[in-house]
Amino acid sequence: MTEDEEHLARLGYKQELARSWSGFSNFAISFSIISILAGCLTTYGAGIANGGPVSISWSWPIISVFILIIGFTMSELVSAMPTSGGIYYWASKLGGPAAGFFTGWLNLIGLIAVTASVAYGCATFFHLTFLAWGWQDEFSLNVVFVFFLVILAFITIVNIFSSHLLAVINNISVWWHVAGAAFLVLVLIIVPDQHLSVSQVFTDKFNGSGWADGSTSSLVYFFAIIPFGFILTQYTITGFDASVHLSEETQGAAKTAARAIWQSIFYSAVGGYILLLAVTFAIPQVDGAPDYASIPAGGVAYIFDTALGSTWGGLLLFISSAAQLFCATACLTSTSRMMFAFSRDRAVPGSRYWSKVNASRTPANAVIFAAVLGALITLPALKSVNGIPTAFYAVTSVSVIGLYFSFAIPIYLRWRAGDSFEVGSWNNGSKYKWMNLVAVIEIIVVGFFLMMPTSPFGAPWRDEFDWAAVNYAPIMVVAVLLLLLLWWQVSAKNWFKGPVKTIDEDVVRAFES
């Protein structure tokens, strides 16, 4: 047995998936899922609407530092326990079956939601690309949804093939993102006739949320509106748990998967900041004043088309669309591995189907099931409010909340375990004492703001309330938690006992001794 297989055996599992991924490939999948060409551009309108340029130029680096701390805490955990579905495995080992059950479901729901939201954003950008090139006449949410279904079908087919092919695709994705982002930045610097000043980018405030009558000086603006814009950073820099879920397919996972997590966050944070500043400097001006008001509905497509013209704008949208296709493919890979691992431990209804691997040693059934669920939860995106698909932002919020809350549980449990925790070859030393606490607090604070109504039209106590504008994230999160609690109390606590060993007990004892 290899060192990786021995480590996996000590954790109770036999090697079922093909361990064909290099450390770079493991980094590549998290970097691809973070995808600065996806998250930064699809949620740019939300950032500008909730704070304006200062929400971009200041919030991004600050929130990125906190997310990097979260990444460090997870790097330590994956080094000690590198398994697919590792998030809930860690929680089970550190906090018992109940902690593992709730963590696993939050993580799985978050992964399904992030796959759906990325695929939907990709469909939107392809539609906008074709509009810019004159291939289609008008924007339509129905057309976007059709594109979305086609993209889901495509990435499903790709994910059913060999794991090695997926590794190659993710390696290509890294260079597409690096070269594509660099090209976007250069075009946004060179082509536009005018740019915002440094002062405007770093001090201009804008409130397009509808709250506080558009005020940018009230307490509401600083303590509610700007935090609403945190979704731009928190949604973009997420999904790095893919390095965990692919650890059973990665060589030298105890070190390479740990490095991949924090490195994917760090490089994405730096590259994303440069890209966001380039986009912000290129914001069009009308009668000498920056046209922030047109961005929430039009997004970066409005900026590209107005500042660059349809030809350049369409090209940049296409580069981003292709990057988002890479991202969606990687998201489905990560989701299917989590579903495979969680099903291997019999936590998902129909587990024996989702834990099967095909001749290529990939969990094909889990891939298909995750894609179907993603399509179903995105059906509300067929409706919009003032041209904005609020359901899309709700799905992105659910993905962020589900994923980060699932991270918070094992991060907290590791902090509680203290020095009794058996660290791996990559660890934070005594710094875990403050890093893990900071990570948990950041997740709770940002998660709270992502569940607030981001528009007055979505607030039930307002006269202008409209169900189409509701932030469904808190409703979905609370409903899921209640269902999980009911399921646990009535049934699951009687049969879910945490990770199930798939390797002979004598072998496990031999490696433990």
Side-chain angles (χ1 to χ4, degrees):
M1 298 177 73
T2 66
E3 185 178 342
D4 287 308
E5 290 171 335
E6 289 179 7
H7 196 160
L8 192 59
R10 287 196 296 273
L11 299 175
Y13 297 124
K14 63 182 178 181
Q15 186 74 46
E16 294 183 81
L17 301 170
R19 196 176 286 274
S20 59
W21 287 47
S22 66
F24 181 79
S25 296
N26 188 282
F27 159 81
I29 191 169
S30 283
F31 188 79
S32 296
I33 292 178
I34 292 174
S35 183
I36 59 175
L37 289 173
C40 286
L41 302 184
T42 55
T43 54
Y44 185 83
I48 288 294
N50 296 291
V54 296
S55 186
I56 307 292
S57 56
W58 292 103
S59 295
W60 177 275
I62 293 170
I63 299 299
S64 294
V65 169
F66 284 108
I67 296 174
L68 185 59
I69 292 172
I70 294 171
F72 284 139
T73 65
M74 290 175 62
S75 290
E76 180 178 66
L77 284 161
V78 77
S79 182
M81 296 173 276
T83 70
S84 296
I87 312 298
Y88 85 90
Y89 182 94
W90 307 336
S92 295
K93 290 298 182 181
L94 294 169
F101 182 80
F102 283 90
T103 299
W105 275 106
L106 284 172
N107 190 239
L108 183 56
I109 291 167
L111 286 169
I112 292 170
V114 79
T115 301
S117 65
V118 171
Y120 187 85
C122 179
T124 302
F125 267 58
F126 270 116
H127 186 27
L128 292 171
T129 301
F130 299 153
L131 285 171
W133 286 344
W135 294 0
Q136 291 179 300
D137 297 327
E138 60 181 4
F139 184 82
S140 167
L141 289 180
N142 292 333
V143 172
V144 171
F145 199 81
V146 171
F147 284 4
F148 164 68
L149 294 178
V150 171
I151 288 167
L152 272 184
F154 173 76
I155 64 175
T156 299
I157 293 170
V158 171
N159 268 277
I160 290 174
F161 289 105
S162 73
S163 177
H164 179 68
L165 172 63
L166 291 170
V168 172
I169 289 173
N170 282 294
N171 292 350
I172 296 171
S173 173
V174 170
W175 300 115
W176 182 273
H177 277 82
V178 171
F183 183 75
L184 258 72
V185 170
L186 286 174
V187 170
L188 289 167
I189 291 173
I190 297 170
V191 176
D193 294 328
Q194 55 185 357
H195 293 86
L196 300 189
S197 66
V198 172
S199 174
Q200 287 173 312
V201 169
F202 285 91
T203 64
D204 269 14
K205 300 186 290 291
F206 176 72
N207 179 4
S209 68
W211 287 110
D213 297 322
S215 170
T216 57
S217 58
S218 64
L219 290 177
V220 173
Y221 172 79
F222 290 101
F223 293 101
I225 306 305
I226 287 181
F228 287 159
F230 288 170
I231 190 174
L232 168 61
T233 313
Q234 204 83 13
Y235 169 67
T236 299
I237 311 180
T238 194
F240 45 84
D241 57 324
S243 291
V244 180
H245 301 311
L246 274 296
S247 60
E248 286 186 34
E249 297 167 65
T250 303
Q251 299 159 10
K255 292 181 179 179
T256 56
R259 285 198 303 266
I261 291 175
W262 75 262
Q263 287 178 347
S264 64
I265 295 170
F266 176 77
Y267 290 120
S268 295
V270 174
Y273 192 48
I274 295 170
L275 176 62
L276 287 170
L277 289 179
V279 173
T280 306
F281 272 109
I283 288 176
Q285 300 183 52
V286 176
D287 297 328
D291 188 14
Y292 302 132
S294 298
I295 298 173
V300 293
Y302 165 72
I303 298 174
F304 291 169
D305 186 58
T306 306
L308 305 171
S310 60
T311 301
W312 279 110
L315 177 59
L316 298 197
L317 288 171
F318 173 76
I319 292 172
S320 176
S321 301
Q324 291 175 51
L325 190 59
F326 281 121
C327 178
T329 303
C331 285
L332 187 56
T333 305
S334 179
T335 303
S336 65
R337 274 28 175 207
M338 167 54 190
M339 183 172 287
F340 159 80
F342 208 28
S343 298
R344 178 174 59 185
D345 292 334
R346 302 164 195 167
V348 183
S351 289
R352 64 191 184 95
Y353 295 107
W354 322 132
S355 59
K356 281 185 177 179
V357 295
N358 61 14
S360 301
R361 299 176 73 183
T362 58
N365 292 343
V367 171
I368 295 169
F369 189 46
V372 170
L373 290 176
L376 292 176
I377 67 171
T378 315
L379 284 171
L382 289 167
K383 293 287 185 180
S384 71
V385 178
N386 298 324
I388 303 174
T390 54
F392 168 70
Y393 290 123
V395 172
T396 62
S397 294
V398 168
S399 67
V400 170
I401 294 165
L403 284 178
Y404 275 99
F405 278 18
S406 73
F407 300 165
I409 297 172
I411 291 172
Y412 167 75
L413 292 172
R414 186 271 174 269
W415 175 82
R416 191 182 69 174
D419 294 336
S420 66
F421 178 76
E422 186 178 343
V423 298
S425 55
W426 196 104
N427 61 80
N428 293 315
S430 62
K431 294 188 291 294
Y432 80 86
K433 294 177 181 178
W434 66 265
M435 293 175 75
N436 288 54
L437 275 183
V438 168
V440 171
I441 292 170
E442 195 273 352
I443 290 169
I444 293 172
V445 170
V446 174
F448 170 79
F449 282 110
L450 294 184
M451 288 193 283
M452 295 294 100
T454 56
S455 164
F457 293 97
W461 61 88
R462 304 275 295 207
D463 293 336
E464 63 267 47
F465 174 72
D466 183 347
W467 276 104
V470 167
N471 179 4
Y472 288 92
I475 298 173
M476 295 173 71
V477 170
V478 171
V480 165
L481 289 174
L482 289 175
L483 285 172
L484 289 177
L485 181 61
L486 180 63
W487 187 13
W488 176 258
Q489 291 296 337
V490 173
S491 173
K493 68 179 181 181
N494 299 319
W495 48 263
F496 182 74
K497 305 303 179 184
V500 176
K501 288 181 170 61
T502 63
I503 197 167
D504 189 275
E505 286 287 348
D506 292 333
V507 177
V508 176
R509 282 194 291 271
F511 284 118
E512 289 177 342
S513 61

